[in-house]
Amino acid sequence: MATPVGAAAAREQVWAALDAIDAAHALIRATSTDLVGNDFRVDIADRLEAQERINRGLMYRIFGELADPPDGSGSIAAVRAAVWTRLRITPREITRRCRLAARIRTQRSLTGATIPPELPVLATAIEAGSIGDDHIRAICQAVDVLPASVPPAQIAAAEAALVSHATGVDAGVLSKIGQRIADHLNPDGLFSDRDRARRRTLTLGRQGPDGMSKLTGLLDPGTRAYFEAITAAVRPGRHLPDTDKGPAADSRTPAQRCHDALRLALSTAIASGKLGTHRGHPVTVVVTTSLTELNQAAHAANDPNIAMPPPALTGGGSRLPMRDLISLAAQSIHYLAVFDDHTARPLFLGRQKRVATADQRLICYARDRGCTHPHCRAPGYHCEVHHAQPWSPRGRTNTDNLYFACSPHHTDVTQGRQHTTVTSGRLSWTDGTGPPRINHAHHPEELLRGGTDPPDGTGA
């Protein structure tokens, strides 16, 4: 239990303790362990693991307070931006830590009353440093899989049992114990529509060096029924990815046919034109490239001596090899932003309207690729069009005044927490405490070339 002290005393006490920890780490790093023997090394590993787990527990406590400050200080968006910048961890990891912290710490209701932690036994174990992150994930997964029909008292007992076992087994064994508990509490495997809706998920993993992406998730019964129908249609010899050569030429595995069925369903849905609009565009694939690269790709397709140009970029921030781009463009209509081909299009609207046109969003896709706020990785699909010079006083809805910004950062500008300026064709941001900076997250080639924001913040 943390000891209550004044704000100034707490800052001094915590900082002094962190300085002592830094000094101890420096001493350990400077001490050779070449001759201590493996028995002692195991002892060291045991102590270091315990300290890391305690430190992790403190980190969750701090993340919980950052997400819901006891003193009510700071906006959530500003706090996330600060954590993102200082710790250099992904937004997904920030969200994961905040969500777990919310489950293991006391909350406050809208009336000010305190609400006990959702997982109090797990909270105690995390604070004590007796379990690691892998144990935490296994316990949360085991509890979350239980249906809503299981009484709260039995869920609490399951949590306590899992935490108790976590101190003696690894996470793999703990997952099996969790499954056995689920079998005991829900022997008939009964799950309500609410249970299934709560557990449905589909996660698109990061794109690998070969352009492939891992897809994981759980489908509800209705979605599975749709998927089964599509995969049945893509039987051997049907809907081959290249040309329809007949059943004898189909060497795809069942898993590969399932992949092709999903692609067929998605492309058919997009081509139908019945998915509505997204930020002014019909829901479709947005790709940006250059005319030079398109020409090079066209020649490379017919001449093996010509190298294929770098991949184009989608509005979601993924890489699309030029061969795939040409194939997609031949099958259905997509928004293809080609720099050199847009000079004759009506991009400058002056004061005619405030909302950006579809053409202007394409230019933002091509130039910005995503949110322009420093370090923000939100892709273009998730961005709004921001007026660098505010529209209301004298800003114009012209392409050179329009830039991408995700909703939270756009709100920061609207509410005065951030300020933007255009420098050298790029949008620079500042909160007033430092020089304006541009975003390199969507332009990593700039960092590879050694490009950084200059000290004067010009963003050149």
Side-chain angles (χ1 to χ4, degrees):
M1 180 66 67
T3 303
V5 294
R11 293 191 187 98
E12 182 178 351
Q13 187 169 311
V14 169
W15 213 248
L18 291 174
D19 286 341
I21 293 173
D22 288 342
H25 283 158
L27 179 60
I28 294 174
R29 288 195 300 269
T31 303
S32 172
T33 54
D34 291 347
L35 304 177
V36 299
N38 271 350
D39 289 342
F40 188 65
R41 291 189 185 100
V42 172
D43 292 338
I44 295 174
D46 182 39
R47 292 287 299 277
L48 291 175
E49 181 67 20
Q51 291 173 2
E52 181 179 353
R53 291 175 177 178
I54 291 174
N55 185 69
R56 182 61 58 184
L58 288 170
M59 181 67 80
Y60 285 129
R61 167 182 152 189
I62 296 302
F63 266 77
E65 293 176 355
L66 284 170
D68 184 21
D71 56 0
S73 60
S75 69
I76 294 178
V79 166
R80 285 178 177 269
V83 171
W84 197 353
T85 302
R86 293 283 295 275
L87 276 63
R88 300 177 302 282
I89 56 180
T90 64
R92 180 178 296 180
E93 176 62 12
I94 294 175
T95 299
R96 185 193 71 81
R97 294 186 189 184
C98 289
R99 286 178 176 172
L100 176 60
R103 303 183 71 178
I104 62 175
R105 66 188 294 263
T106 301
Q107 302 289 305
R108 290 173 295 137
S109 68
L110 295 177
T111 60
T114 58
I115 303 174
E118 176 190 346
L119 302 171
V121 182
L122 178 61
T124 301
I126 292 175
E127 183 177 9
S130 57
I131 59 177
D133 258 351
D134 49 354
H135 293 105
I136 296 172
R137 282 191 292 269
I139 293 171
C140 289
Q141 289 170 359
V143 172
D144 292 342
V145 78
L146 297 175
S149 58
V150 176
Q154 292 185 347
I155 294 178
E159 176 202 354
L162 288 164
V163 171
S164 175
H165 285 294
T167 59
V169 300
D170 63 37
V173 176
L174 190 63
S175 295
K176 293 185 177 181
I177 295 174
Q179 182 60 60
R180 187 68 185 90
I181 291 175
D183 292 341
H184 173 72
L185 296 179
N186 187 28
D188 297 326
L190 299 177
F191 293 93
S192 66
D193 291 341
R194 180 182 175 186
D195 294 327
R196 286 188 288 268
R198 174 169 54 90
R199 296 185 60 217
R200 75 189 189 282
T201 179
L202 200 63
T203 302
L204 181 63
R206 292 181 178 179
Q207 195 173 25
D210 59 354
M212 305 296 282
S213 305
K214 187 175 183 179
L215 190 66
T216 58
L218 290 173
L219 305 181
D220 63 27
T223 305
R224 181 186 175 92
Y226 284 130
F227 189 72
E228 287 174 338
I230 291 296
T231 55
V234 185
R235 58 188 183 274
R238 294 296 304 275
H239 302 290
L240 292 170
D242 297 320
T243 57
D244 194 358
K245 301 176 182 178
D250 193 346
S251 60
R252 295 175 295 176
T253 65
Q256 289 170 336
R257 291 199 300 272
C258 284
H259 169 277
D260 295 344
L262 178 60
R263 173 169 172 156
L264 174 65
L266 295 175
S267 63
T268 302
I270 288 179
S272 71
K274 297 181 179 180
L275 296 179
T277 61
H278 173 70
R279 301 188 187 277
H281 275 158
V283 175
T284 187
V285 178
V286 176
V287 185
T288 61
T289 184
S290 72
L291 185 59
T292 300
E293 290 171 340
L294 274 180
N295 288 333
Q296 183 180 345
H299 287 89
N302 300 314
D303 188 346
N305 296 319
I306 299 178
M308 189 63 70
L313 293 175
T314 72
S318 63
R319 306 184 308 279
L320 183 68
M322 298 299 290
R323 294 183 188 275
D324 296 87
L325 169 58
I326 294 172
S327 174
L328 284 177
Q331 295 174 14
S332 58
I333 298 174
H334 299 272
Y335 278 104
L336 178 62
V338 182
F339 294 91
D340 300 66
D341 284 354
H342 281 199
T343 55
R345 303 190 76 170
L347 299 177
F348 287 83
L349 302 181
R351 296 286 289 183
Q352 292 180 25
K353 59 190 299 186
R354 177 173 184 173
V355 179
T357 67
D359 287 343
Q360 290 172 325
R361 283 192 64 88
L362 287 177
I363 293 300
C364 291
Y365 278 116
R367 180 193 57 221
D368 303 331
R369 304 179 182 174
C371 180
T372 52
H373 185 276
H375 308 295
C376 185
R377 294 192 296 143
Y381 285 156
H382 300 163
C383 290
E384 302 169 357
V385 174
H386 162 64
H387 288 70
Q389 178 67 41
W391 183 84
S392 53
R394 56 185 180 279
R396 294 178 177 270
T397 306
N398 290 343
T399 303
D400 55 2
N401 190 48
L402 301 176
Y403 295 83
F404 269 157
C406 66
S407 295
H409 288 131
H410 201 181
T411 301
D412 283 344
V413 176
T414 302
Q415 298 180 354
R417 291 188 293 271
Q418 292 279 340
H419 306 280
T420 60
T421 57
V422 178
T423 52
S424 302
R426 297 281 292 277
L427 194 66
S428 301
W429 295 67
T430 180
D431 60 1
T433 61
R437 299 291 183 187
I438 63 174
N439 189 10
H440 297 288
H442 302 289
H443 302 268
E445 68 278 1
E446 296 173 344
L447 298 177
L448 292 174
R449 292 195 302 262
T452 57
D453 293 303
D456 61 0
T458 60

